[in-house]
Amino acid sequence: MTDLPWYTSFAPERGTLPPRAWTAFSDAARLPLGGDWAFRLSPAADAADTAFAEPGFDADGWRTVTVPGHWVLQGEDGEFGAPAYTNVVYPFPVDPPHVPDENPTGDHLRRFDLPDDWPAEGGAVLRFDGVESCARVWLNGTELGWFKGSRLAHEFAVGELLRERDNVLAVRVHQWSSGSYLEDQDQWWLPGVFREVTLLHRPEGAPGDFFVHASYDHTAGTGELRVDCDVPARVRVPELGLDLAAGESVTVPVEPWSAEVPRLYEGELTAGGERIGLRIGFRSVYVEDGVLKANGRRILFRGVNRHEFHPETGRTLDLDTMRADVELMKRHHVNAVRTSHYPPHPAFLDLCDSYGLWVVDEGDLETHGFEELGWRGNPVDDERWTPALLDRAARLVERDKNHPSVVLWSLGNECGTGAGLSAMARWIHDRDPSRPVHYEGDRSCADVDVYSRMYPPHAEVEEIGRREDGGPERRRELPLILCEYAHAMGNGPGGLSEYQRLFETYERCQGGFVWEWIDHGLAHPVHGYGYGGDFGEDQHDGNFVCDGLLFPDRTPSPGLAEYKKVIEPVRIGPGGRPGTVAVRNLHDVADLSAYAFGWEFLADGKVVGEGPLAVPPPAAGERTEVVLPEPPAHPAGAETLWRVRAVLAAATPWAEAGHEMAWGVVPVTGRRPLAAPSPPVRPAAGDGRIGLGPASFDARTGALVSLGGLPVSGFGLDVWRAPTDNDEGAPWQPDARWASLWRELGLHRMRHRTDGVIPDGGGLTVRTRVAPPGRDVGLAVTHRWTASGTAVRLDVDVVPEGSWPVPLPRLGVRLGLPAALDRAVWYGGGPGEAYPDTRAAARPGLWESTVAGLQTPYVRPQENGARIDTRWLELTDGEGAGLRVAGEPEFWFTARRWTHAELDAAAHRPDLAPGDTLWLNLDHALHGIGSQSCGPGVLPEHRLQAAPASFSLAFEPVGACRSRAAGRPSPAGARNP
């Protein structure tokens, strides 16, 4: 082992400076070194010599890459290799600390001149904010050293080596190093210099490092400030009238910092001719009586996990993208971020300080691939790796220690257990006792201050909330945080509302972090967005990398809309007395004075009146009831309700005035029942068809074949859906994996048998049996059709036969219509998709969309687009001709220009080619979604068990189709086409 190359040694670095606090606010000179760098790629670590580091080296024949950037995302036609995705398994043999000879190596060259105003006195530091997976660095022919730790900052002292003109910076980067064993973080493997490289002037006597201690005493309303500095310095905070020496403590009345009220005090630290801006947030975070508190108040995390990602630049993010993410989080009530699974770009934490987000700052550490080997050889339990682990802990804490948004340090993720983790925890506790320490992987909780879990089922969370979970005594005394829950992969996640009820019920259950913020679909020339396997990888984990609340282009998914509704900190609903609305403030700290309230009165989905609503702002945790006005005039017999909205009264840094923060519904009167046909219309037979009002049926099978002149195909009972990622499930979860069981039973290829087509004086009865081949289970279905005028009504009765071993994916009827029916208008839940356990965000009203707009563009196509609680639906063409459907009870509908089978077969969105048929599903019930792509499955109350069911639908042509239907002769003795 003594002859190991530097990149496979156990040591984390050589020649770097000690880690220190980062700040963007300094008046010392700095020179960004980003831009085009000369670049050469070699297939192996020993395939190129180091002559390129000499000042006179001629790199004219080299290509260029952009720094910051990943070389595999640049170049033409894959000339620089390709990205690769694995979740757990390492993409190289597990033989630590060795890596394969096939080790792509990128040599980077950057020539630069010092600015004319660069100070002549003082020193200079060369800073790298992120390089995957390791870097060896030369300046002007002199080797500075090397480092590992891809998402960590490293600095070199370079003052004596700088020249005014023609400096040559050379950097060699290996894709694989011993550090790669510590970075198995469920993400794309993307080598390169992906964060900034900066030259920083260091004036004589300027601070090397400083530590802002700013605690808050909630009982006295005071803050204690002390700024430790490694050189004599002054600290000034003008707003507080403070001017004191570094190292001195002072206590003053202050307003505390929190995620809801991110109060910052601007100050400065001066020493040796440098002025460093301070943004001080006074707050104290601690565990008391088994509860995590900030400033004396319980915290409830409404959080997300956040990998850094952009579909074109990978982990290279610019400030505007980071800001857009933070603003989008704030607009959706996200109040916390876990920086999975490494420290983020430091500018992101500045944004969290300013906008207000609690941060669980995680170390650049994961060794998950060793789990596949029973944790044999796990670096966190091998003392040879402990210096590297401690280096990662120090670089996490020292860089980020002055951010008030950081409230927990996290050792890393999915590393099993070991003495190295304990050493990290001890070091962090000693260095910064003001913050609790987090790590999910050790159920004993011996080294940590919170009990963290991933994807526990709801029942277990409730057991923990009741403090009935047992376990080590140390663990029973700690608050519960779900560092990952509700896996947002594809359609979902389901079960969010049920989790939130537990968080709001049990003091110990303090919320968690949805996995995760954004789909990691990389831009792909064929597939639109690519996932594992789309870039030629022979080992990969498919679309498991696409599991976010945002699509790759940062468009919110329906999952984010659902999450916003579920976690909204203002709960609006019926009051205790008729004609009142209850408003409950679920904020941790803030009252509701920043909100304006208003009412809308809806009659059959249409807003017939609206106005402001005066709501005395309740304090955090309080509730108030307000009397609603008299209902405005509305049609007699209409279904009516109040919709009360809370919006921002004034603009904030993250949203405009009027941005909706919460809404709720107060029902008044119920809907009209579906009208029964009167007087009944007798069916008429002829030419192999049976006519009934506007409808025509196949006389042999009883299948509907036209409505008001619209051709209808494929009519019948439908139970199948293109399985979602959550239907497919995860093999490590104990719940049934429904998609495989559905396919095994044959629900994707159900067979239909007609048992009777019976016209009578009052209508048409069609009896069928729907069943999978090779099985003795089935569904006996009775369709009873009746008609009056231009409408036809369908009453459906379904009775299961045999012992059904699985729930059904869906239960309803399907029909094919002309694709020209491209506009949907409906009264029901909207505007987006909803399923039984993802329905919180669906609000009642009148909605409209194109058929294309009804589709949800999941990176891997799957069941999507259902609209819930539909009272009626109209589908029309450009001339307003089409079909109206009403239902009793309310129904779900989906409308798309491809079949379930085509949707199921598609691997990417471009695989779906719209056909000439619009497939309409009108569902009585749907199976839930769950979170089983990584988490728990569908809760029992949301499973669609095979059971007797009855429902009714009424069909009526509209526009020209209605005219054609109305213009027909009486069915008596008529021959319908």
Side-chain angles (χ1 to χ4, degrees):
M1 289 295 185
T2 57
D3 296 328
L4 287 174
W6 69 271
Y7 55 88
T8 57
S9 69
F10 292 102
E13 55 79 29
R14 189 185 72 192
T16 63
L17 294 169
R20 64 189 181 104
W22 181 89
T23 179
F25 314 104
S26 168
D27 63 357
R30 62 175 59 201
L31 177 63
L33 296 176
D36 288 340
W37 288 45
F39 179 74
R40 175 183 67 185
L41 181 65
S42 302
D46 59 356
D49 59 34
T50 59
F52 80 103
E54 298 299 326
F57 183 81
D58 183 2
D60 285 347
W62 286 22
R63 300 297 305 278
T64 60
V65 294
T66 299
V67 172
H70 303 280
W71 71 66
V72 293
L73 300 182
Q74 303 185 54
E76 298 177 359
D77 300 324
E79 64 177 315
F80 296 152
Y85 166 63
T86 62
N87 171 26
V88 176
V89 178
Y90 289 103
F92 47 79
V94 180
D95 183 22
H98 304 285
V99 296
D101 290 341
E102 299 88 0
N103 189 1
T105 296
D107 290 331
H108 302 68
L109 274 179
R110 173 71 154 86
R111 296 181 181 273
F112 65 94
D113 298 332
L114 293 180
D116 292 339
D117 59 353
W118 189 264
E121 303 298 326
V125 165
L126 180 65
R127 179 182 180 90
F128 293 84
D129 278 301
V131 181
E132 183 177 328
S133 71
C134 62
R136 186 178 176 189
V137 184
W138 295 261
L139 180 62
N140 294 329
T142 297
E143 182 173 354
L144 303 179
W146 49 261
F147 59 84
K148 303 160 196 168
S150 298
R151 269 64 70 177
L152 302 168
H154 297 84
E155 293 180 331
F156 298 98
V158 298
E160 296 181 355
L161 298 174
L162 287 174
R163 302 193 289 247
E164 290 186 6
R165 297 288 181 266
D166 200 28
N167 292 280
V168 179
L169 175 59
V171 182
R172 171 162 287 180
V173 179
H174 300 301
Q175 175 158 12
W176 310 121
S177 70
S178 55
S180 302
Y181 285 100
L182 305 179
E183 297 172 4
D184 187 25
Q185 292 148 321
D186 183 14
Q187 62 182 334
W188 293 99
W189 299 93
L190 297 171
V193 184
F194 68 94
R195 287 185 187 159
E196 288 82 1
V197 181
T198 312
L199 184 68
L200 304 171
H201 180 246
R202 305 307 302 138
E204 294 290 343
D209 191 23
F210 61 98
F211 196 162
V212 177
H213 304 273
S215 61
Y216 180 72
D217 183 344
H218 66 278
T219 61
T222 58
E224 182 179 358
L225 175 66
R226 187 184 82 248
V227 180
D228 294 333
C229 188
D230 60 355
V231 298
R234 298 296 298 178
V235 177
R236 296 178 179 86
V237 187
E239 187 177 353
L240 297 175
L242 298 181
D243 186 341
L244 65 156
E248 292 183 7
S249 296
V250 63
T251 300
V252 291
V254 296
E255 301 172 42
W257 186 99
S258 70
E260 293 171 7
V261 185
R263 181 67 162 93
L264 293 172
Y265 291 88
E266 300 292 333
E268 65 178 28
L269 175 70
T270 57
E274 182 180 22
R275 181 181 296 110
I276 295 173
L278 304 178
R279 303 166 78 236
I280 303 166
F282 291 91
R283 56 110 188 93
S284 294
V285 183
Y286 48 88
V287 174
E288 182 179 69
D289 299 327
V291 176
L292 181 66
K293 296 181 178 180
N295 307 326
R297 305 292 295 260
R298 172 183 181 259
I299 298 175
L300 181 58
F301 290 129
R302 301 171 174 90
V304 294
N305 284 274
R306 175 187 177 267
H307 268 298
E308 293 186 309
F309 182 76
H310 189 281
E312 295 176 345
T313 58
R315 278 187 289 281
T316 299
L317 297 185
D318 59 34
L319 184 60
D320 287 343
T321 299
M322 289 185 269
R323 181 179 289 109
D325 278 350
V326 169
E327 292 178 356
L328 196 57
M329 290 176 188
K330 294 292 290 186
R331 291 197 294 272
H332 287 81
H333 303 307
V334 171
N335 73 350
V337 173
R338 176 179 175 230
T339 69
S340 51
H341 299 293
Y342 42 82
H345 190 290
F348 179 76
L349 298 179
D350 284 334
L351 294 169
C352 294
D353 294 341
S354 298
Y355 284 87
L357 290 169
W358 307 114
V359 175
V360 178
D361 200 359
E362 193 147 271
D364 190 10
L365 177 62
E366 181 170 337
T367 64
H368 201 174
F370 285 89
E371 184 178 31
E372 301 288 308
L373 311 174
W375 297 109
R376 293 187 308 275
N378 187 6
V380 303
D381 203 26
D382 183 338
E383 64 180 9
R384 295 174 297 175
W385 292 88
T386 300
L389 301 180
L390 291 174
D391 180 75
R392 289 173 184 249
R395 292 186 184 279
L396 163 73
V397 172
E398 301 295 7
R399 192 197 74 169
D400 296 344
K401 58 183 178 281
N402 294 328
H403 290 281
S405 58
V406 175
V407 291
L408 281 88
W409 299 118
S410 180
L411 303 180
N413 183 67
E414 293 177 319
C415 295
T417 59
L421 290 168
S422 298
M424 295 173 70
R426 286 193 299 271
W427 186 93
I428 294 174
H429 277 122
D430 183 64
R431 177 58 174 150
D432 181 23
S434 72
R435 292 177 174 95
V437 171
H438 166 276
Y439 174 66
E440 181 271 340
D442 183 5
R443 296 288 180 86
S444 75
C445 297
D447 298 319
V448 297
D449 305 297
V450 295
Y451 178 25
S452 180
R453 292 292 306 278
M454 291 183 182
Y455 308 105
H458 298 74
E460 185 179 355
V461 173
E462 184 164 24
E463 184 181 62
I464 295 170
R466 290 174 172 170
R467 301 184 184 274
E468 298 173 352
D469 52 308
E473 182 178 354
R474 160 74 175 164
R475 193 177 78 190
R476 295 199 302 271
E477 298 172 349
L478 301 180
L480 175 71
I481 294 171
L482 305 190
C483 68
E484 295 180 22
Y485 83 112
H487 198 245
M489 184 176 178
N491 188 338
L496 284 169
S497 295
E498 290 79 5
Y499 273 120
Q500 193 67 19
R501 281 198 291 270
L502 295 172
F503 302 155
E504 294 173 7
T505 300
Y506 297 104
E507 184 181 50
R508 187 186 181 192
C509 301
Q510 296 193 240
F513 300 82
V514 168
W515 188 271
E516 66 153 308
W517 178 239
I518 186 170
D519 283 345
H520 298 186
L522 284 170
H524 192 283
V526 176
H527 302 314
Y529 294 112
Y531 46 76
D534 289 337
F535 296 91
E537 312 104 297
D538 58 0
Q539 179 180 334
H540 61 85
D541 286 291
N543 71 311
F544 199 72
V545 77
C546 293
D547 44 18
L549 295 170
L550 302 183
F551 297 123
D553 64 358
R554 284 181 157 73
T555 301
S557 76
L560 183 58
E562 178 78 359
Y563 194 40
K564 176 186 178 181
K565 179 60 181 171
V566 167
I567 64 175
E568 63 186 10
V570 182
R571 197 66 52 79
I572 301 171
R577 295 170 292 121
T580 64
V581 61
V583 178
R584 183 182 173 199
N585 181 2
L586 297 178
H587 284 99
D588 298 331
V589 175
D591 66 17
L592 299 186
S593 58
Y595 292 1
F597 290 81
W599 60 267
E600 299 170 320
F601 192 79
L602 279 69
D604 287 338
K606 183 179 180 180
V607 176
V608 296
E610 57 186 325
L613 185 67
V615 177
E622 299 299 320
R623 178 183 182 275
T624 189
E625 285 196 11
V626 178
V627 176
L628 292 161
E630 287 296 315
H634 58 274
E639 178 184 11
T640 58
L641 56 86
W642 299 97
R643 199 162 64 193
V644 177
R645 303 169 64 234
V647 303
L648 289 177
T652 70
W654 42 269
E656 298 294 329
H659 173 74
E660 185 178 86
M661 299 298 290
W663 60 271
V665 168
V666 179
V668 181
T669 58
R671 62 171 296 199
R672 299 183 181 96
L674 196 64
S678 178
V681 176
R682 296 179 62 87
D687 291 341
R689 300 285 180 91
I690 297 173
L692 183 64
S696 178
F697 303 85
D698 184 286
R700 182 179 61 85
T701 65
L704 179 68
V705 294
S706 72
L707 269 167
L710 286 172
V712 176
S713 60
F715 182 87
L717 191 80
D718 193 10
V719 299
W720 181 242
R721 74 184 187 198
T724 68
D725 290 313
N726 287 304
D727 291 336
E728 299 287 359
W732 55 84
Q733 283 291 348
D735 294 335
R737 300 175 65 187
W738 297 121
S740 61
L741 294 175
W742 290 339
R743 288 191 173 98
E744 181 181 343
L745 187 62
L747 299 189
H748 59 307
R749 43 193 174 89
M750 298 288 276
R751 301 293 186 258
H752 295 247
R753 185 187 74 213
T754 302
D755 288 338
V757 180
I758 308 166
D760 58 38
L764 174 67
T765 300
V766 181
R767 295 192 175 94
T768 64
R769 187 175 190 272
V770 182
R775 303 287 179 170
D776 61 354
V777 297
L779 300 169
V781 187
T782 301
H783 298 93
R784 175 64 179 173
W785 295 92
T786 51
S788 63
T790 60
V792 63
R793 172 170 170 151
L794 169 64
D795 296 295
V796 181
D797 292 297
V798 182
V799 178
E801 297 177 340
S803 179
W804 279 80
V806 296
L808 301 174
R810 70 181 344 123
L811 182 66
V813 297
R814 180 204 62 234
L815 60 158
L817 297 166
L821 303 184
D822 190 54
R823 181 174 179 267
V825 178
W826 72 98
Y827 171 32
E833 73 180 23
Y835 290 80
D837 53 350
T838 65
R839 61 182 297 160
R843 70 182 82 192
L846 287 175
W847 308 102
E848 64 178 292
S849 172
T850 63
V851 168
L854 294 172
Q855 317 309 310
T856 304
Y858 295 113
V859 175
R860 186 193 75 80
Q862 55 199 270
E863 166 64 31
N864 74 90
R867 266 55 177 185
I868 197 172
D869 290 340
T870 309
R871 281 74 159 173
W872 57 260
L873 160 72
E874 285 188 2
L875 289 167
T876 56
D877 61 18
E879 303 299 322
L883 178 69
R884 179 185 175 101
V885 185
E888 189 176 52
E890 293 83 4
F891 59 94
W892 273 272
F893 81 89
T894 60
R896 55 178 70 106
R897 291 179 62 189
W898 38 74
T899 64
H900 299 327
E902 290 167 335
L903 187 59
D904 192 10
H908 301 86
R909 287 287 300 176
D911 297 342
L912 290 169
D916 57 4
T917 300
L918 173 66
W919 292 102
L920 175 64
N921 274 84
L922 306 168
D923 289 308
H924 171 63
L926 293 172
H927 186 67
I929 296 297
S931 190
Q932 204 188 348
S933 52
C934 190
V938 177
L939 287 165
E941 59 265 35
H942 300 307
R943 298 173 190 170
L944 177 53
Q945 303 294 349
S950 299
F951 57 96
S952 301
L953 298 164
F955 300 87
E956 185 174 9
V958 296
C961 295
R962 179 185 180 93
S963 300
R964 288 195 297 269
R968 287 179 181 165
S970 168
R975 295 172 57 180
N976 289 325

